[in-house]
Amino acid sequence: MQQMEQPIGGVVKCLSNQIRRHLDAAASEAGLVELTGTQGMILHYLLRNEGRCLTQRDVEQRFQLRGATLSRLFQRMEAAGLLERRAVSHDQRCKQLLPTDKARAMHVQFVSCLDETDHLLRQGISPEDEAVFRAVCLKMLDNLLQRDHENDPAAR
């Protein structure tokens, strides 16, 4: 099936998969063998927001990932020495996510991988088309989140 005939969700999923693969390969080529693209994106988010008390819930919302998926991911990141989880003083069940010095050292190289990927994605696309694409993607995301919220019995 040609991409233009594929449902829009399929096209977005293929793009997402290809971006993840590209980031994984770029990180590996940069010598960041302990860091996947997803882990790098999460560390990038945590480091850009350092000073804020970010928890698993914040990462779930930012990346639209499920709790169980993140729990396993964070366990691997802790085992690799990239992340610490510390209890928050006001709620011992809640864990603050703290990048380690090892993660900080990898961050500069990973940002180069992100920049290179972003540059590659934007090739041949005008700023106007990029703005439309971004707006359409955000609207699609909002549509899905709104539907999820409407179907969530806890939200009623």
Side-chain angles (χ1 to χ4, degrees):
M1 182 185 301
Q2 294 211 354
Q3 295 294 353
M4 293 301 287
E5 298 169 2
Q6 188 175 0
I8 192 74
V11 173
V12 171
K13 180 66 176 159
C14 287
L15 177 60
S16 175
N17 289 343
Q18 200 58 39
I19 291 169
R20 181 185 43 77
R21 271 192 227 109
H22 183 83
L23 276 175
D24 287 349
S28 180
E29 287 172 21
L32 304 173
V33 292
E34 297 173 332
L35 192 66
T36 68
T38 302
Q39 291 171 343
M41 294 289 289
I42 290 169
L43 287 174
H44 181 62
Y45 171 68
L46 295 174
L47 287 163
R48 280 187 28 232
N49 291 283
E50 210 159 17
R52 289 182 52 208
C53 180
L54 294 175
T55 65
Q56 180 169 324
R57 182 82 175 130
D58 296 311
V59 175
E60 284 176 27
Q61 291 174 344
R62 169 67 176 81
F63 292 95
Q64 296 300 307
L65 294 169
R66 301 219 185 271
T69 301
L70 281 176
S71 289
R72 287 189 304 273
L73 184 75
F74 292 151
Q75 287 170 358
R76 287 192 299 271
M77 291 173 75
E78 277 186 301
L82 300 170
L83 183 72
E84 288 180 34
R85 290 188 278 187
R86 287 195 196 138
V88 176
S89 61
H90 64 274
D91 184 352
Q92 293 298 308
R93 296 168 299 168
C94 189
K95 305 288 186 211
Q96 181 179 6
L97 304 171
L98 299 164
T100 64
D101 288 339
K102 181 178 179 179
R104 279 185 192 79
M106 295 176 150
H107 186 240
V108 172
Q109 286 178 284
F110 187 75
V111 168
S112 293
C113 297
L114 283 176
D115 290 345
E116 184 267 331
T117 301
D118 201 51
H119 178 75
L120 186 59
L121 286 167
R122 292 174 184 215
Q123 281 183 346
I125 299 173
S126 71
E128 297 80 14
D129 285 346
E130 181 186 336
V132 169
F133 174 76
R134 188 179 303 269
V136 169
C137 285
L138 289 171
K139 177 58 180 159
M140 288 177 177
L141 179 59
D142 186 56
N143 290 344
L144 291 172
L145 291 173
Q146 184 65 35
R147 173 60 70 91
D148 287 351
H149 181 72
E150 290 169 2
N151 291 335
D152 183 3
R156 295 178 200 179

